[in-house]
Amino acid sequence: MKITSISLYPFVLPLAKPYRLSGGRLLYEQLDSTFVKLETDAGIVGWGEGCPWGSTYLPAFPGGIRAAIAEMAPTIIGMDPRQTDVVNAAMDMALPGHLYVKSPIDQACWDIFGKSVGLPVYELLGGGIDQDLRIQSSIGTDTPEAMVADILARHAQGYRVHSPKIGENVDLDADRIRAIGEALPVGDSVTFDANRAMLPDSAIRLMHKTRSIDAYFEQPCETYEENLQVRRATTQPIILDESIVEFADIVRAQKDGACEAIGLKIERVGGITRARRMRDFCVQTGIRMNIEATGGSVLADTVATHLAQSTPNRFMRATWFCHEMLTVDPCEGGARNQQGTTRAPSVPGLGVEPKLHMLGEPTVHP
Ligand code: MG
């Protein structure tokens, strides 16, 4: 089987509520996504999505996906999409680095692979676990009372893992953490995610002030070294998210004891093929995971759900659904929210298809 063409469909995903990144980064009202369609000489079509959450969250931007796929297209066309490692190696030869641009191509290859053998992608990634996956709620920074109210509302909807955003100021954040810690229903779990907005001194002070509260802290600081400094001065479990990009990052974090869990974002690490390698390393070394999309529609969320569904439940913390924050739903099928939990679709491939009539005219390579 050979890939015969690559079609790129830029697509704007409006957010239901504007979203401001911590640390003074930009306010978003919409996300700029790209749906990628691979066609083959066998008549099987595969889909992937690239949505790097604007241009200021990661060293990645929406236009980069479109430009880099145009650059790699002559290499990708003619390859067998079922040979996922071979396709990834060829993309690395054609364009070193730029992992996020390779993710939608890799996703579409897995979609085709699954469809070609009549199996859902999770079966190809080690086999589905017969358990529902937890979806974590994302709680915006607000007053302690408003954040508690939001978490209790999400609990009533079935969510059991919550990710309130912090990182503004140590005293205010300590009030938020104490209020949430006191109000958290028994059995629920909470991660205070700073999205790298803090300096080490603030993160250490905050974690010392709130030491008695059972909680995870996610990516308090910008760099790996700063987070390691925080890890060494505190006792609460730490989740590294943005600091984990390449395989060497997770190896170093495990060796240093830098974190107890990671945020494994499919797009940031370069697709399913690379995320699976990291997932397997984490399972072997006792690192728990949130497996999720960087952003995007239900297509991107479903890709992450397939990897999560094939991950032993003990190593999974939760997934997250970006598509619930949007005002449009440009796809049929996919992993959907069922009272705060989900499952990957059990049909061949990824089990999610964009609605072509919503997408507009693509750019087609060659
Ligand atoms: Mg995070």
Side-chain angles (χ1 to χ4, degrees), residues 214-238:
D214 176 15
Y216 290 72
F217 284 77
E218 182 164 329
Q219 192 80 33
C221 304
E222 180 76 38
T223 68
Y224 176 80
E225 288 74 15
E226 290 165 346
N227 287 301
L228 183 59
Q229 188 180 345
V230 173
R231 158 71 304 143
R232 288 180 171 156
T234 57
T235 54
Q236 292 100 319
I238 285 183

Short mmCIF file of all heavy atoms in Angstrom, two decimals, residues 214-238:
data_model
loop_
_atom_site.label_atom_id
_atom_site.label_comp_id
_atom_site.label_asym_id
_atom_site.label_seq_id
_atom_site.Cartn_x
_atom_site.Cartn_y
_atom_site.Cartn_z
N ASP A 214 -3.34 16.80 50.17
CA ASP A 214 -3.03 15.69 49.26
C ASP A 214 -3.27 16.15 47.82
O ASP A 214 -4.43 16.19 47.38
CB ASP A 214 -3.92 14.50 49.64
CG ASP A 214 -3.74 13.33 48.70
OD1 ASP A 214 -2.75 13.32 47.94
OD2 ASP A 214 -4.60 12.42 48.73
N ALA A 215 -2.20 16.52 47.12
CA ALA A 215 -2.38 17.06 45.76
C ALA A 215 -1.11 16.85 44.95
O ALA A 215 -0.02 16.70 45.49
CB ALA A 215 -2.69 18.55 45.83
N TYR A 216 -1.28 16.83 43.63
CA TYR A 216 -0.15 16.86 42.70
C TYR A 216 0.09 18.32 42.27
O TYR A 216 -0.85 19.13 42.25
CB TYR A 216 -0.47 16.05 41.43
CG TYR A 216 -0.55 14.56 41.61
CD1 TYR A 216 -1.62 13.96 42.29
CD2 TYR A 216 0.43 13.72 41.08
CE1 TYR A 216 -1.69 12.58 42.43
CE2 TYR A 216 0.36 12.34 41.21
CZ TYR A 216 -0.70 11.78 41.88
OH TYR A 216 -0.77 10.42 42.02
N PHE A 217 1.33 18.60 41.90
CA PHE A 217 1.67 19.91 41.33
C PHE A 217 2.26 19.68 39.94
O PHE A 217 3.13 18.82 39.78
CB PHE A 217 2.67 20.67 42.23
CG PHE A 217 2.00 21.24 43.45
CD1 PHE A 217 1.68 20.42 44.53
CD2 PHE A 217 1.68 22.58 43.52
CE1 PHE A 217 1.03 20.93 45.65
CE2 PHE A 217 1.03 23.10 44.63
CZ PHE A 217 0.71 22.28 45.69
N GLU A 218 1.76 20.44 38.96
CA GLU A 218 2.18 20.19 37.57
C GLU A 218 2.99 21.36 37.02
O GLU A 218 2.56 22.51 37.10
CB GLU A 218 0.95 19.96 36.70
CG GLU A 218 1.29 19.66 35.24
CD GLU A 218 0.13 19.06 34.47
OE1 GLU A 218 -0.69 18.35 35.09
OE2 GLU A 218 0.04 19.29 33.27
N GLN A 219 4.14 21.00 36.45
CA GLN A 219 5.01 21.93 35.73
C GLN A 219 5.03 23.32 36.39
O GLN A 219 4.62 24.31 35.77
CB GLN A 219 4.57 22.06 34.28
CG GLN A 219 5.58 22.77 33.38
CD GLN A 219 6.73 21.91 32.89
OE1 GLN A 219 6.61 20.72 32.67
NE2 GLN A 219 7.90 22.52 32.72
N PRO A 220 5.53 23.42 37.64
CA PRO A 220 5.53 24.73 38.28
C PRO A 220 6.39 25.75 37.52
O PRO A 220 6.00 26.92 37.43
CB PRO A 220 6.09 24.45 39.68
CG PRO A 220 6.68 23.07 39.63
CD PRO A 220 5.98 22.34 38.54
N CYS A 221 7.52 25.32 36.97
CA CYS A 221 8.48 26.27 36.40
C CYS A 221 8.74 26.01 34.92
O CYS A 221 8.41 24.97 34.38
CB CYS A 221 9.80 26.20 37.16
SG CYS A 221 9.63 26.47 38.93
N GLU A 222 9.42 26.96 34.30
CA GLU A 222 9.67 26.94 32.85
C GLU A 222 10.62 25.80 32.46
O GLU A 222 10.30 25.00 31.59
CB GLU A 222 10.29 28.30 32.45
CG GLU A 222 10.60 28.44 30.98
CD GLU A 222 9.37 28.69 30.13
OE1 GLU A 222 8.48 29.42 30.59
OE2 GLU A 222 9.30 28.15 29.00
N THR A 223 11.79 25.75 33.09
CA THR A 223 12.81 24.82 32.59
C THR A 223 12.85 23.53 33.40
O THR A 223 12.40 23.49 34.55
CB THR A 223 14.22 25.45 32.64
OG1 THR A 223 14.60 25.60 34.02
CG2 THR A 223 14.27 26.80 31.95
N TYR A 224 13.43 22.52 32.81
CA TYR A 224 13.61 21.24 33.49
C TYR A 224 14.41 21.43 34.78
O TYR A 224 14.06 20.91 35.84
CB TYR A 224 14.33 20.26 32.55
CG TYR A 224 14.64 18.95 33.22
CD1 TYR A 224 13.66 17.97 33.35
CD2 TYR A 224 15.91 18.70 33.75
CE1 TYR A 224 13.94 16.78 34.00
CE2 TYR A 224 16.20 17.51 34.39
CZ TYR A 224 15.21 16.55 34.52
OH TYR A 224 15.48 15.38 35.16
N GLU A 225 15.50 22.21 34.69
CA GLU A 225 16.39 22.39 35.84
C GLU A 225 15.66 23.09 37.00
O GLU A 225 15.86 22.74 38.16
CB GLU A 225 17.63 23.19 35.43
CG GLU A 225 18.62 22.43 34.56
CD GLU A 225 18.15 22.25 33.11
OE1 GLU A 225 17.20 22.95 32.69
OE2 GLU A 225 18.74 21.41 32.41
N GLU A 226 14.84 24.08 36.67
CA GLU A 226 14.08 24.77 37.73
C GLU A 226 13.10 23.80 38.40
O GLU A 226 12.95 23.80 39.63
CB GLU A 226 13.31 25.95 37.13
CG GLU A 226 14.20 27.11 36.69
CD GLU A 226 13.46 28.10 35.79
OE1 GLU A 226 12.37 27.78 35.28
OE2 GLU A 226 14.00 29.18 35.59
N ASN A 227 12.44 22.98 37.61
CA ASN A 227 11.49 22.02 38.18
C ASN A 227 12.21 20.99 39.04
O ASN A 227 11.69 20.56 40.07
CB ASN A 227 10.69 21.34 37.06
CG ASN A 227 9.67 22.28 36.45
OD1 ASN A 227 8.81 22.79 37.15
ND2 ASN A 227 9.79 22.55 35.17
N LEU A 228 13.41 20.60 38.62
CA LEU A 228 14.19 19.64 39.40
C LEU A 228 14.59 20.24 40.75
O LEU A 228 14.56 19.56 41.78
CB LEU A 228 15.43 19.22 38.60
CG LEU A 228 16.33 18.16 39.23
CD1 LEU A 228 15.56 16.87 39.50
CD2 LEU A 228 17.53 17.88 38.32
N GLN A 229 14.93 21.51 40.71
CA GLN A 229 15.25 22.23 41.96
C GLN A 229 14.04 22.20 42.91
O GLN A 229 14.20 21.96 44.12
CB GLN A 229 15.62 23.67 41.58
CG GLN A 229 16.15 24.51 42.70
CD GLN A 229 16.49 25.92 42.21
OE1 GLN A 229 16.57 26.17 41.00
NE2 GLN A 229 16.68 26.83 43.13
N VAL A 230 12.86 22.42 42.38
CA VAL A 230 11.63 22.37 43.19
C VAL A 230 11.41 20.95 43.72
O VAL A 230 11.10 20.74 44.89
CB VAL A 230 10.41 22.84 42.37
CG1 VAL A 230 9.12 22.64 43.14
CG2 VAL A 230 10.57 24.30 41.97
N ARG A 231 11.57 19.98 42.85
CA ARG A 231 11.40 18.57 43.24
C ARG A 231 12.28 18.23 44.45
O ARG A 231 11.85 17.58 45.40
CB ARG A 231 11.73 17.67 42.04
CG ARG A 231 12.13 16.24 42.30
CD ARG A 231 10.99 15.35 42.78
NE ARG A 231 10.36 15.89 43.98
CZ ARG A 231 9.06 15.85 44.24
NH1 ARG A 231 8.24 15.28 43.41
NH2 ARG A 231 8.59 16.39 45.33
N ARG A 232 13.52 18.72 44.43
CA ARG A 232 14.48 18.34 45.47
C ARG A 232 14.21 19.02 46.79
O ARG A 232 14.70 18.59 47.83
CB ARG A 232 15.91 18.61 44.98
CG ARG A 232 16.28 17.59 43.91
CD ARG A 232 17.67 17.76 43.35
NE ARG A 232 17.99 16.61 42.49
CZ ARG A 232 18.87 16.62 41.51
NH1 ARG A 232 19.56 17.72 41.25
NH2 ARG A 232 19.10 15.55 40.78
N ALA A 233 13.41 20.09 46.77
CA ALA A 233 13.14 20.85 48.00
C ALA A 233 11.74 20.61 48.54
O ALA A 233 11.35 21.24 49.52
CB ALA A 233 13.34 22.35 47.72
N THR A 234 10.96 19.73 47.89
CA THR A 234 9.55 19.53 48.29
C THR A 234 9.23 18.04 48.32
O THR A 234 10.04 17.21 47.88
CB THR A 234 8.60 20.23 47.30
OG1 THR A 234 8.85 19.72 45.99
CG2 THR A 234 8.79 21.74 47.31
N THR A 235 8.03 17.72 48.83
CA THR A 235 7.66 16.30 48.96
C THR A 235 6.43 15.90 48.16
O THR A 235 6.20 14.72 47.94
CB THR A 235 7.38 15.97 50.45
OG1 THR A 235 6.39 16.90 50.94
CG2 THR A 235 8.63 16.07 51.28
N GLN A 236 5.60 16.85 47.72
CA GLN A 236 4.39 16.49 46.98
C GLN A 236 4.76 15.90 45.61
O GLN A 236 5.78 16.29 45.02
CB GLN A 236 3.49 17.72 46.76
CG GLN A 236 2.87 18.26 48.04
CD GLN A 236 3.63 19.46 48.57
OE1 GLN A 236 4.86 19.49 48.56
NE2 GLN A 236 2.90 20.46 49.04
N PRO A 237 3.92 14.99 45.08
CA PRO A 237 4.21 14.46 43.73
C PRO A 237 4.16 15.55 42.67
O PRO A 237 3.29 16.42 42.70
CB PRO A 237 3.12 13.42 43.50
CG PRO A 237 2.13 13.56 44.59
CD PRO A 237 2.74 14.38 45.69
N ILE A 238 5.13 15.50 41.76
CA ILE A 238 5.23 16.49 40.69
C ILE A 238 4.96 15.82 39.33
O ILE A 238 5.45 14.72 39.07
CB ILE A 238 6.60 17.19 40.71
CG1 ILE A 238 6.63 18.18 41.89
CG2 ILE A 238 6.91 17.89 39.39
CD1 ILE A 238 7.90 18.99 42.00
#
